[in-house]
Amino acid sequence: MGIVFVPVIAGLGTAQPPSASQDELWEGFFSRHFTGTTRSLAQRIFANSGVTRRQAAVNPLLEDVSDWPTERRMRRYQVEALPLGKEAVGRALTAAGLSAGDIGLFIVCSCTGYATPGLDILLARDLGMAADTQRMFIGHMGCYAALPGLGAASDFVTARGRPALLLCAELTSLHIQPSSARVDTQQIVSHALFSDAAVAAVVVPGGSGYAVREVTAVTDTSTADHMTWDVTDAGFRMGLSPKVPQVLSRHVRGLVDDLLARHGVTSSEVDGWAVHPGGPRILNVVERELALPPLGLAASRATLDEHGNCSSPTVLLILDRLGRATPAARRIVMLAFGPGLTLYAALLDRQD
């Protein structure tokens, strides 16, 4: 019988552009971006978003991209995403004690920009990855992309016994919609929540870190229209139904219970919950359906408060927070949600 390699997250690296307060963004830009009766509704949504600060590679207080065509936004994406991704990857490799040349598989997740050659090729070149490094790009999965990315990295490590690297990089600030466009509540919520970030994770065969025990998912295709991300002539436009929390409430308990049961674990034995903060209502639904203790989602709420919803990197930001806590979480369930409507979950436990 051959060696069984356990995939372990040995290093995380985060990178974020400069931040601005939610109040500054409202007063300095969005209060003028929304007009008429929409303005008062938008002000309430911004105030109740659960966000205090957000990061933006292209800050609307300094540069208004809302009237840019998609082509110009995509050119800017590559300019901004490359150094942000390089910073996150560099930190993750340092934390894992590896060099770029050690990586066997490099996975990049992003739904906010596209270019060919993509970030995977350009970063592999600039960081000095080996010519035989395999690459995978995961696009348009949205907020849950980190978990299928982590699953693919873990499968590679288990099968090949070589390190893999996952990078999630999103620049949602490039997709502010024109003030002349049709404005609905979904657009206001999107503009009130989303933020920019890059997070990288190095997965290795064995050793110290968070062992990835399983990645699992469920998709309710009957609700495919509840969350959309449409490519338009004026950037990418979010569609976000208010029914999303209702769909999550139908599926999240079964997904988590089945995951834990397969590993002989109960929810009371989980001391870290990394739940993607799609917004305050999402967190409230998950907390209720999983019967979590009052501080069970403290890390998720703090991440939403300080960083907003960064799409795919967000759940990794929460994992990083849980790992740096004193004491660090020992067993973690990660949950993320996105188009489909899709729910992804992962079970991790700490190995010293």
Side-chain angles (χ1 to χ4, degrees):
M1 187 173 178
I3 298 172
V4 176
F5 298 105
V6 176
V8 175
I9 300 173
L12 287 169
T14 68
Q16 293 166 309
S19 68
S21 76
Q22 186 80 316
D23 289 344
E24 289 172 333
L25 290 167
W26 173 255
E27 294 295 338
F29 180 79
F30 287 104
S31 64
R32 298 190 300 274
H33 191 70
F34 299 114
T35 58
T37 56
T38 302
R39 187 180 183 278
S40 58
L41 172 62
Q43 187 170 18
R44 290 196 301 274
I45 290 173
F46 269 67
N48 295 314
S49 63
V51 179
T52 300
R53 298 194 70 80
R54 290 190 279 161
Q55 290 71 44
V58 184
N59 189 328
L61 298 174
L62 305 175
E63 189 174 11
D64 183 2
V65 304
S66 63
D67 287 324
W68 285 15
T70 300
E71 179 186 1
R72 187 176 178 187
R73 299 181 199 230
M74 293 300 94
R75 290 200 302 266
R76 186 61 175 272
Y77 169 85
Q78 195 155 323
V79 169
E80 301 292 344
L82 193 60
L84 202 65
K86 192 179 298 185
E87 183 180 354
V89 166
R91 289 175 175 170
L93 289 170
T94 298
L98 296 178
S99 68
D102 297 321
I103 299 302
L105 172 66
F106 181 31
I107 301 171
V108 176
C109 302
S110 187
C111 68
T112 50
Y114 297 104
T116 303
L119 288 184
D120 54 334
I121 294 176
L122 299 178
L123 285 170
R125 177 198 67 190
D126 292 352
L127 292 166
M129 292 184 188
D132 65 352
T133 300
Q134 297 181 39
R135 293 172 291 99
M136 177 186 298
F137 183 83
I138 299 175
H140 250 64
M141 275 190 161
C143 294
Y144 68 84
L147 294 187
L150 181 61
S154 299
D155 289 346
F156 177 88
V157 169
T158 299
R160 307 292 180 85
R162 295 188 62 194
L165 172 64
L166 168 67
L167 170 66
C168 295
E170 304 288 10
L171 301 182
T172 65
S173 62
L174 283 172
H175 298 289
I176 296 174
Q177 293 296 287
S179 58
S180 58
R182 175 179 58 87
V183 177
D184 52 29
T185 303
Q186 300 174 44
Q187 287 305 305
I188 299 171
V189 170
S190 173
H191 287 338
L193 288 175
F194 281 98
S195 184
D196 296 354
V199 183
V202 175
V203 184
V204 301
S208 299
Y210 281 107
V212 182
R213 298 304 180 189
E214 185 182 345
V215 177
T216 186
V218 62
T219 300
D220 184 345
T221 55
S222 70
T223 62
D225 62 341
H226 284 17
M227 193 178 295
T228 58
W229 189 229
D230 296 324
V231 179
T232 77
D233 292 336
F236 302 169
R237 182 180 176 89
M238 169 65 76
L240 189 62
S241 169
K243 296 178 181 178
V244 169
Q246 178 183 333
V247 178
L248 294 183
S249 70
R250 292 202 298 266
H251 297 289
V252 68
R253 182 61 182 264
L255 178 68
V256 171
D257 282 353
D258 290 348
L259 170 64
L260 296 180
R262 287 193 291 272
H263 296 269
V265 175
T266 65
S267 61
S268 63
E269 296 173 292
V270 176
D271 60 347
W273 295 90
V275 178
H276 175 73
R281 287 183 62 204
I282 298 294
L283 294 179
N284 291 341
V285 165
V286 172
E287 183 179 63
R288 183 189 71 229
E289 294 300 322
L290 299 183
L292 298 181
L295 295 179
L297 296 185
S300 296
R301 288 196 168 93
T303 300
L304 178 64
D305 176 70
E306 297 171 19
H307 305 294
N309 178 346
C310 309
S311 191
S312 65
T314 318
V315 71
L316 295 175
L317 285 175
I318 303 167
L319 175 62
D320 181 59
R321 183 184 291 269
L322 290 169
R324 290 186 290 103
T326 305
R330 302 294 304 179
R331 181 175 284 122
I332 294 174
V333 168
M334 303 174 72
L335 284 165
F337 326 104
L341 191 68
T342 303
L343 294 76
Y344 255 86
L347 177 63
L348 316 179
D349 62 57
R350 195 172 185 89
Q351 297 191 156
D352 296 320

